[in-house]
Amino acid sequence: MDNNEIEKKLESKNVKPTAMRTLVYKTLTDSGKALSLADLEQRFEKVERSTIFRALKTFEDNFIVHSVDDGSGSVKYAVCDEDCTCNIHDLHVHFYCTRCGRTRCMKELPIPNIKLPEGYTYDNAQFIINGVCPRCD
Amino acid sequence: MDNNEIEKKLESKNVKPTAMRTLVYKTLTDSGKALSLADLEQRFEKVERSTIFRALKTFEDNFIVHSVDDGSGSVKYAVCDEDCTCNIHDLHVHFYCTRCGRTRCMKELPIPNIKLPEGYTYDNAQFIINGVCPRCD
DNA sequence: TTAAACTTTGCAATAGTGTTGCACTAACTT
DNA sequence: AAGTTAGTGCAACACTATTGCAAAGTTTAA
Ligand SMILES: [Mn+2]
Ligand SMILES: [Mn+2]
Ligand SMILES: [Zn+2]
Ligand SMILES: [Zn+2]
């Protein structure tokens, strides 16, 4: 994805496309998997952890990325679909490969609708499947 | 649950029922919800974090408790059912209340069976629902 | 065009969780 | 009773996440 497209994208979500943000977004979208703060930090030596952290938070607040707690000990971030508002209808299963540590959005697998007992409300959900991915098998 | 029962329980799972372990187990089972290491630590001032930690690991290794990563930042632990071997058939949904922070096993809601794309294996899963519990509503 | 106002970034510090090595003590074995 | 094994407490450490503050950059409005 080229920088121009990315800038448009961020602007369309009311986020000013600074150099850092563009870089973070580009890295996330190009990687094709979910990345942690530490993953991102490694990929560009020079940039401060806190800057990346704040870029991610800004993205998350504006439905540009969503976070996944895959149980690996660090939260990962993945780009949202175009029209995502991070609500129940946008939720999907995430797959965590216990061999390579890759976490992938399974956008083709929406989180199944569960009927909760009386009295519980349902705001959000995480459904993480652990196993071995095709690459590692 | 009285200490005698707990000791029987632990022995039946090949874990020597020390004073600390019995205490940890009792606290977990009496609380009726999932507790974190920090939660447990608080409940008994005197006992070392690492001792509780190791008790929990031992329990987990022996299918006495299972852990839940509810996204709150600390892993929680809950007692397993009698015949649990912590495999796919024992997996159930967990509910995390965003108001009170309580995490509850929903043993009545098994994790739905998902058909993964070709090439993925399925070893384990976590399905966490976030919302508001009846107490807090 | 320049000064004021606001936003973003870098740095340093901090809190919290999880984890381990090591020495001491308790329990079990012979 | 002496030797061996298992459990506990303490201290240290690694790592993630998060924040205050000051410097740098950008935008706005005189
Ligand atoms: Mn995703
Ligand atoms: Mn449970
Ligand atoms: Zn893999
Ligand atoms: Zn609640």
PDB file of all heavy atoms in Angstrom, chain B residues 97 99-102 133 135-136, ligand 4:
ATOM      1  N   CYS B  97     -16.716  -9.104  33.188  1.00  0.00           N
ATOM      2  CA  CYS B  97     -17.545  -7.919  33.411  1.00  0.00           C
ATOM      3  C   CYS B  97     -16.669  -6.675  33.431  1.00  0.00           C
ATOM      4  O   CYS B  97     -15.763  -6.556  34.253  1.00  0.00           O
ATOM      5  CB  CYS B  97     -18.319  -8.024  34.720  1.00  0.00           C
ATOM      6  SG  CYS B  97     -19.237  -6.511  35.103  1.00  0.00           S
ATOM      7  N   ARG B  99     -17.453  -3.797  34.265  1.00  0.00           N
ATOM      8  CA  ARG B  99     -17.722  -2.897  35.400  1.00  0.00           C
ATOM      9  C   ARG B  99     -16.950  -3.334  36.633  1.00  0.00           C
ATOM     10  O   ARG B  99     -16.180  -2.576  37.191  1.00  0.00           O
ATOM     11  CB  ARG B  99     -19.219  -2.905  35.765  1.00  0.00           C
ATOM     12  CG  ARG B  99     -20.103  -2.225  34.787  1.00  0.00           C
ATOM     13  CD  ARG B  99     -20.609  -0.866  35.284  1.00  0.00           C
ATOM     14  NE  ARG B  99     -21.340  -0.241  34.180  1.00  0.00           N
ATOM     15  CZ  ARG B  99     -22.661  -0.403  33.961  1.00  0.00           C
ATOM     16  NH1 ARG B  99     -23.398  -1.094  34.808  1.00  0.00           N
ATOM     17  NH2 ARG B  99     -23.232   0.147  32.916  1.00  0.00           N
ATOM     18  N   CYS B 100     -17.197  -4.576  37.054  1.00  0.00           N
ATOM     19  CA  CYS B 100     -16.619  -5.016  38.337  1.00  0.00           C
ATOM     20  C   CYS B 100     -15.327  -5.803  38.164  1.00  0.00           C
ATOM     21  O   CYS B 100     -14.639  -6.083  39.142  1.00  0.00           O
ATOM     22  CB  CYS B 100     -17.632  -5.844  39.122  1.00  0.00           C
ATOM     23  SG  CYS B 100     -18.110  -7.392  38.346  1.00  0.00           S
ATOM     24  N   GLY B 101     -15.008  -6.152  36.914  1.00  0.00           N
ATOM     25  CA  GLY B 101     -13.770  -6.883  36.681  1.00  0.00           C
ATOM     26  C   GLY B 101     -13.838  -8.364  37.032  1.00  0.00           C
ATOM     27  O   GLY B 101     -12.829  -9.061  36.973  1.00  0.00           O
ATOM     28  N   ARG B 102     -15.019  -8.841  37.400  1.00  0.00           N
ATOM     29  CA  ARG B 102     -15.149 -10.271  37.709  1.00  0.00           C
ATOM     30  C   ARG B 102     -15.101 -11.103  36.441  1.00  0.00           C
ATOM     31  O   ARG B 102     -15.704 -10.752  35.433  1.00  0.00           O
ATOM     32  CB  ARG B 102     -16.504 -10.534  38.374  1.00  0.00           C
ATOM     33  CG  ARG B 102     -16.498 -10.441  39.868  1.00  0.00           C
ATOM     34  CD  ARG B 102     -17.753 -11.080  40.455  1.00  0.00           C
ATOM     35  NE  ARG B 102     -17.820 -10.755  41.876  1.00  0.00           N
ATOM     36  CZ  ARG B 102     -18.247  -9.594  42.354  1.00  0.00           C
ATOM     37  NH1 ARG B 102     -18.667  -8.643  41.539  1.00  0.00           N
ATOM     38  NH2 ARG B 102     -18.263  -9.381  43.657  1.00  0.00           N
ATOM     39  N   CYS B 133     -22.253  -7.775  33.962  1.00  0.00           N
ATOM     40  CA  CYS B 133     -22.870  -8.932  34.605  1.00  0.00           C
ATOM     41  C   CYS B 133     -24.144  -8.518  35.367  1.00  0.00           C
ATOM     42  O   CYS B 133     -24.360  -7.341  35.605  1.00  0.00           O
ATOM     43  CB  CYS B 133     -21.864  -9.610  35.525  1.00  0.00           C
ATOM     44  SG  CYS B 133     -21.567  -8.767  37.088  1.00  0.00           S
ATOM     45  N   ARG B 135     -25.041  -8.622  38.396  1.00  0.00           N
ATOM     46  CA  ARG B 135     -24.780  -7.855  39.615  1.00  0.00           C
ATOM     47  C   ARG B 135     -24.608  -6.370  39.364  1.00  0.00           C
ATOM     48  O   ARG B 135     -24.862  -5.547  40.233  1.00  0.00           O
ATOM     49  CB  ARG B 135     -23.444  -8.280  40.207  1.00  0.00           C
ATOM     50  CG  ARG B 135     -23.438  -9.587  40.871  1.00  0.00           C
ATOM     51  CD  ARG B 135     -22.249  -9.588  41.788  1.00  0.00           C
ATOM     52  NE  ARG B 135     -21.691 -10.916  41.903  1.00  0.00           N
ATOM     53  CZ  ARG B 135     -21.206 -11.394  43.039  1.00  0.00           C
ATOM     54  NH1 ARG B 135     -21.180 -10.635  44.110  1.00  0.00           N
ATOM     55  NH2 ARG B 135     -20.730 -12.612  43.089  1.00  0.00           N
ATOM     56  N   CYS B 136     -23.989  -6.062  38.231  1.00  0.00           N
ATOM     57  CA  CYS B 136     -23.581  -4.683  37.962  1.00  0.00           C
ATOM     58  C   CYS B 136     -24.593  -3.939  37.129  1.00  0.00           C
ATOM     59  O   CYS B 136     -24.444  -2.738  36.891  1.00  0.00           O
ATOM     60  CB  CYS B 136     -22.257  -4.666  37.220  1.00  0.00           C
ATOM     61  SG  CYS B 136     -20.929  -5.247  38.255  1.00  0.00           S
TER      62      CYS B 136
HETATM   63 ZN    ZN E   4     -19.946  -7.092  37.147  1.00  0.00          ZN
END
